[in-house]
Amino acid sequence: RGKGSVVIYEGIIQFPISEMISFQEINNRLGLDYETVVEVFEVINAEDEPIVQHALELNNHDKLWHVIRTRQKNNKVHIMDEDYFVCKVIPKLSKEVASHSIYQYIENEMNVEISYSNKSITFEKMTEKEERYFGHLDPLYTATVRGIVHLSNAERFQYNISRHIATEFKFVDFSRRVLNKPVIDQ
């Protein structure tokens, strides 16, 4: 009995996928006490990340902020966020800002409006990079949310890859059914 079953961690965070919200806002709203650790903070050439370059519609000479942050509780990594921000749009970014809230900085300090994103959710086998941060998990999968984020003028400025421990991930959404009503010619 119980063979082949997976016990799901009781502290599952319900991430509102259809809502544009930063991790820090979720952390505050839900009263969580996750710590953000900036693991990587660097400027790279867009051509070094062809998938990101294509998604953000950038040229080879464009620069990107590459930021990897882990979200930890009790010294255990639960989430790994990897972000690419267009340097032209966000010319000044610091590791200190990245350790708090980049969205808060963009909206409150730069007075730039973040508008919407397109997201996809997949479950993917962990790579060596993820195993470095998460450690060895069973199953060796992450729930991976990829998003392209746009400003109010529809400009693409961020490519985000958010990896969650698969057994701790819960997709939450609100949907409304829209019935197709026949069109009556007049």
Side-chain angles (χ1 to χ4, degrees):
R1 265 186 359 190
K3 193 173 188 174
S5 62
V6 177
V7 177
I8 297 179
Y9 170 66
E10 297 231 355
I12 293 175
I13 303 172
Q14 294 188 27
F15 285 95
I17 299 299
S18 59
E19 187 178 351
M20 281 289 303
I21 187 167
S22 72
F23 182 83
Q24 194 58 45
E25 290 166 330
I26 291 173
N27 205 24
N28 294 339
R29 181 190 292 177
L30 300 179
L32 306 173
D33 58 349
Y34 281 80
E35 176 189 3
T36 296
V37 177
V38 179
E39 306 284 356
V40 174
F41 184 82
E42 63 185 353
V43 174
I44 63 169
N45 293 317
E47 66 186 339
D48 295 341
E49 294 291 338
I51 292 171
V52 176
Q53 178 184 6
H54 177 73
L56 297 178
E57 300 176 342
L58 300 173
N59 297 315
N60 287 345
H61 65 276
D62 288 324
K63 302 284 186 198
L64 293 166
W65 292 104
H66 177 221
V67 182
I68 296 178
R69 295 174 288 180
T70 55
R71 314 308 185 157
Q72 303 180 18
K73 190 169 193 170
N74 300 324
N75 293 321
K76 179 185 177 201
V77 173
H78 294 268
I79 302 166
M80 178 186 145
D81 285 324
E82 186 167 16
D83 293 290
Y84 299 88
F85 295 96
V86 178
C87 290
K88 287 186 295 198
V89 178
I90 307 167
K92 297 178 183 175
L93 191 59
S94 69
K95 193 172 182 178
E96 182 182 346
V97 166
S99 70
H100 297 296
S101 175
I102 295 174
Y103 278 17
Q104 182 179 10
Y105 170 76
I106 292 168
E107 293 175 326
N108 297 337
E109 303 298 321
M110 294 180 58
N111 293 314
V112 174
E113 185 181 339
I114 300 168
S115 185
Y116 65 95
S117 71
N118 302 340
K119 297 178 186 174
S120 68
I121 303 169
T122 55
F123 287 82
E124 301 174 8
K125 191 166 175 61
M126 290 176 65
T127 65
E128 287 181 23
K129 178 163 84 174
E130 282 105 38
E131 274 199 73
R132 248 191 336 238
Y133 294 112
F134 287 110
H136 183 77
L137 299 174
D138 186 25
L140 280 173
Y141 282 84
T142 61
T144 303
V145 182
R146 284 185 174 75
I148 300 169
V149 186
H150 303 252
L151 299 175
S152 60
N153 65 1
E155 182 178 5
R156 299 171 185 202
F157 80 99
Q158 177 191 9
Y159 186 88
N160 169 265
I161 308 164
S162 186
R163 295 173 178 93
H164 304 251
I165 296 173
T167 56
E168 295 180 4
F169 183 82
K170 182 176 183 178
F171 170 79
V172 178
D173 192 16
F174 172 82
S175 300
R176 182 181 309 274
R177 180 163 166 72
V178 178
L179 297 174
N180 292 327
K181 296 185 181 187
V183 177
I184 300 172
D185 288 336
Q186 295 182 3

